[in-house]
Amino acid sequence: MARSIRSEVVDPNDVQISHVISRTTRACWLFGDDPISGKNYDYRKVWIEEYLKRFAAGFGIDLLSYVILSNHFHLMLRSRPDVVATWDDTEVARRWLLICPERKDAEGNPMTPSQSELDRIRQSPEKLAEIRVRLSNISWWMRLLNQQIAQRANKEDETTGHFFEQRFKAIPLVDEEAVLACSVYVDLNLIRACIAETVELSDHSSGQLRVEVVQAAQQAPHGDSKASADGATQAADPQARRGDAFLSPVNLHEGTAPAGPQPSKTNARCSDKGFLAMSEEEYLELLDWSARHLAPGKRGSTPEGHPPILERLGLSPTLWLSLVADFGSLFSTIAGRPERLDAQRTKQTGRRFYVPKQARDLFGQAA
């Protein structure tokens, strides 16, 4: 089946969540122990996390979940043109120069933009308008991310050519079930691959970061601002922020959160808007529950019953575990319940999306 044109499913002018996957060329393990070269490139996973933090602080895009493996990585990204619309011209120029700096310090970090650098963007209406669109465009996030990783790795290896396998893959997530299942799928990737036994041991993943922060909050004295529930620290020292401050909060806080785009109160991420109708603790409990069922032979007893969130979504435990285990093969172009996908149309031609028979059968059995 021919791959879809990305503009048919991804529109930077819409608030949209996508599951993004990028693989190294020829599936070489260029982020881990590469059996071909005999070299270990685990440290490059740290590179990617550094770039993710910088991009989350600069782009008008929320980073919801991520995991980095030895030959590919998964991201869940939410484009936020509504947040970009709240930024003035100076903020747009500043953020772009944070992502694509004209000057760097001795360690390669972006230097504070000068007034002349800002003016070159602010005083050019066409350029300014173009950059506004780029800042909420997932394709530009991935283009620059992969470009910077590839250039750095090729320079280190003293080689040239493709580092990543063709283009990245982006799959829109159209409903709450797809968003939740995809996030769990991403955070459990290392467990599914038999690389880690638990979420807290899943290095270079959003799941591990969220566990560490929750554990730190439970151990911190009551009222410690560094472990505030919404992830937006009030501490003056930027280094005192939560370890997951660049990630989107989990909880949408439906009914209590303010209306509108909710631009972030910190410089670590685009917005303070969550993406799931559950608390961070509930999400981590669901991760652990799912991991125990997906990892045969794992020590510990399975909790009786099933998590309340599954009841609220109308998902049986069997359907849920199949969704998480087979998410990548069930949804190759767009993800969601089949009846909701049937109502969707491509952005350019207005055609219906193809829904694999396996996905229709799975949801049909659960009906």
Side-chain angles (χ1 to χ4, degrees):
M1 181 179 175
R3 66 187 183 186
S4 61
I5 300 173
R6 188 172 296 122
S7 60
E8 289 278 27
V9 295
V10 177
D11 187 345
N13 296 310
D14 293 339
V15 177
Q16 186 178 51
I17 298 177
S18 294
H19 173 211
V20 179
I21 312 104
S22 194
R23 298 181 181 278
T24 55
T25 184
R26 297 183 302 280
C28 295
W29 288 28
L30 300 179
F31 302 138
D33 272 316
D34 185 25
I36 297 178
S37 65
K39 297 181 180 179
N40 181 276
Y41 297 110
D42 278 336
Y43 58 88
R44 288 177 175 170
K45 297 174 183 175
V46 178
W47 290 2
I48 298 176
E49 286 183 315
E50 291 172 349
Y51 289 129
L52 291 179
K53 291 177 182 179
R54 182 188 299 177
F55 281 28
F59 272 96
I61 294 174
D62 292 323
L63 175 59
L64 310 186
S65 302
Y66 77 91
V67 66
I68 307 168
L69 290 89
S70 295
N71 63 358
H72 69 287
F73 59 82
H74 296 260
L75 308 177
M76 271 182 66
L77 300 173
R78 179 173 58 193
S79 54
R80 298 303 305 275
D82 57 334
V83 174
V84 176
T86 69
W87 298 339
D88 61 21
D89 294 349
T90 297
E91 183 66 3
V92 168
R94 184 192 72 81
R95 285 174 176 270
W96 185 252
L97 291 170
L98 171 68
I99 300 164
C100 299
E102 296 187 9
R103 294 174 298 115
K104 299 180 181 179
D105 62 21
E107 298 179 352
N109 298 313
M111 296 183 67
T112 302
S114 66
Q115 289 301 310
S116 61
E117 291 170 345
L118 292 169
D119 285 342
R120 279 195 287 273
I121 296 176
R122 291 182 298 197
Q123 296 177 4
S124 174
E126 290 185 1
K127 189 172 186 179
L128 188 65
E130 181 181 40
I131 288 175
R132 278 189 179 276
V133 174
R134 289 180 182 179
L135 284 173
S136 62
N137 191 329
I138 288 174
S139 290
W140 269 93
W141 169 299
M142 291 303 299
R143 172 181 177 174
L144 294 176
L145 175 64
N146 284 358
Q147 181 184 80
Q148 293 186 30
I149 295 170
Q151 289 176 346
R152 186 171 177 179
N154 283 349
K155 181 178 180 180
E156 180 185 72
D157 295 339
E158 298 182 341
T159 187
T160 58
H162 291 292
F163 184 86
F164 287 99
E165 178 184 78
Q166 300 180 354
R167 64 178 189 172
F168 68 91
K169 189 174 184 178
I171 303 167
L173 309 173
V174 303
D175 54 31
E176 183 181 4
E177 294 90 337
V179 171
L180 177 58
C182 184
S183 187
V184 172
Y185 168 78
V186 168
D187 279 331
L188 294 187
N189 230 266
L190 292 170
I191 294 176
R192 289 177 58 251
C194 298
I195 297 173
E197 291 186 353
T198 62
V199 177
E200 58 267 32
L201 295 179
S202 296
D203 294 336
H204 308 291
S205 73
S206 51
Q208 183 187 57
L209 279 180
R210 296 193 193 279
V211 169
E212 290 175 350
V213 169
V214 168
Q215 289 177 332
Q218 292 173 344
Q219 297 169 4
H222 181 68
D224 189 343
S225 65
K226 290 186 291 185
S228 60
D230 63 0
T233 178
Q234 301 300 312
D237 181 4
Q239 299 303 318
R241 290 196 181 100
R242 290 171 44 138
D244 65 346
F246 66 104
L247 296 174
S248 169
V250 170
N251 202 336
L252 276 167
H253 292 290
E254 293 179 314
T256 60
Q262 299 179 41
S264 180
K265 299 175 183 177
T266 75
N267 290 324
R269 60 191 178 205
C270 169
S271 80
D272 291 335
K273 187 180 182 68
F275 64 101
L276 293 173
M278 63 174 69
S279 69
E280 199 164 54
E281 289 78 5
E282 288 176 320
Y283 174 70
L284 294 178
E285 287 177 4
L286 181 60
L287 271 185
D288 181 67
W289 183 88
S290 301
R292 290 173 185 272
H293 285 76
L294 289 173
K298 184 180 184 301
R299 290 182 297 175
S301 61
T302 300
E304 295 182 3
H306 52 272
I309 183 64
L310 300 186
E311 295 178 357
R312 296 199 296 270
L313 292 175
L315 300 174
S316 69
T318 301
L319 172 58
W320 169 252
L321 293 174
S322 296
L323 274 178
V324 174
D326 302 322
F327 192 90
S329 58
L330 287 171
F331 306 111
S332 59
T333 303
I334 190 169
R337 285 182 177 270
E339 63 268 24
R340 290 177 182 155
L341 299 185
D342 288 340
Q344 298 287 320
R345 295 294 184 270
T346 59
K347 304 290 184 181
Q348 305 296 323
T349 61
R351 296 178 179 176
R352 294 176 61 179
F353 289 102
Y354 169 73
V355 181
K357 183 177 183 297
Q358 183 184 2
R360 291 191 185 278
D361 290 346
L362 178 63
F363 280 90
Q365 292 170 6

